[in-house]
């Protein structure tokens, strides 16, 4: 790519990563980001997600990233609840930016705070190999 993205220092080792968004045209790009870190992307519909369906989907994941910009409010609570019930690593991307999504992935994987918030979080970048 013309603009080479700096890569975060992270390897997901084929963990199943749920991407909670509604019907979204950026899904492919987000899946691409998960692939880039060797994760397996699994889209979760966070708009008309029926509670039971959502629970079944989340139960089998390793990580779930919630894109709040694309999710219905009550779905947000359900996802958070199921993630904690099944010990799924969880983080929130509050903006639509890919960078924000990538950082959420990093926070989830490293068990850092789910929300970016005000605290300073260090995102280590991968060394060029």
């Amino acid at each position: 790519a013309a603009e080479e993205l700096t890569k975060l220092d992270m390897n997901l080792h084929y963990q199943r990563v749920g991407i909670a968004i509604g019907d979204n045209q950026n899904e492919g790009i987000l899946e691409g980001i998960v692939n880039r870190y060797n994760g397996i992307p699994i889209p979760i519909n966070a708009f008309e997600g029926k509670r039971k369906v959502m629970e079944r989907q989340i139960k089998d994941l390793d990580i779930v990233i919630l894109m709040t910009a694309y999710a219905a409010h009550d779905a947000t609570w359900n996802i958070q609840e199921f993630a904690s019930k099944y010990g799924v690593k969880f983080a929130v991307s509050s903006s639509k930016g890919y960078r924000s999504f990538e950082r959420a992935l990093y926070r989830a994987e490293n068990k850092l705070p789910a929300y970016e918030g005000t605290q300073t979080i260090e995102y280590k970048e991968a060394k060029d190999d």
Side-chain angles (χ1 to χ4, degrees):
E3 42 148 358
E4 208 27 64
L5 287 168
T6 52
K7 200 171 173 192
L8 295 175
D9 187 12
M10 164 169 67
N11 185 344
L12 298 172
H13 298 289
Y14 305 105
Q15 293 180 87
R16 292 174 304 253
V17 180
I19 305 172
I21 47 182
D23 314 317
N24 181 262
Q25 63 291 1
N26 298 335
E27 202 169 271
I29 297 171
L30 299 176
E31 291 180 1
I33 292 173
V34 171
N35 286 325
R36 183 172 187 229
Y37 291 106
N38 306 318
I40 300 167
I42 297 168
I44 292 174
N45 190 329
F47 263 111
E48 53 215 68
K50 313 271 175 289
R51 239 182 100 80
K52 276 271 168 276
V53 175
M54 227 179 240
E55 178 165 15
R56 269 202 309 273
Q57 283 187 295
I58 290 172
K59 187 165 122 262
D60 298 326
L61 297 173
D62 298 298
I63 296 176
V64 63
I65 303 299
L66 173 63
M67 301 288 285
T68 50
Y70 300 122
H73 196 68
D74 51 348
T76 305
W77 293 114
N78 290 341
I79 289 168
Q80 210 156 356
E81 181 194 330
F82 297 141
S84 93
K85 177 174 173 182
Y86 295 106
V88 177
K89 291 181 276 193
F90 171 78
V92 173
S93 171
S94 52
S95 93
K96 296 181 179 179
Y98 307 126
R99 210 61 188 143
S100 168
F101 174 76
E102 203 173 40
R103 287 196 302 253
L105 204 49
Y106 183 92
R107 289 197 309 281
E109 171 59 11
N110 292 288
K111 299 189 171 66
L112 294 165
Y115 291 86
E116 200 135 29
T118 48
Q119 75 279 48
T120 316
I121 292 170
E122 190 196 345
Y123 297 96
K124 296 196 170 60
E125 294 192 346
K127 319 247 178 303
D128 288 330
D129 31 30

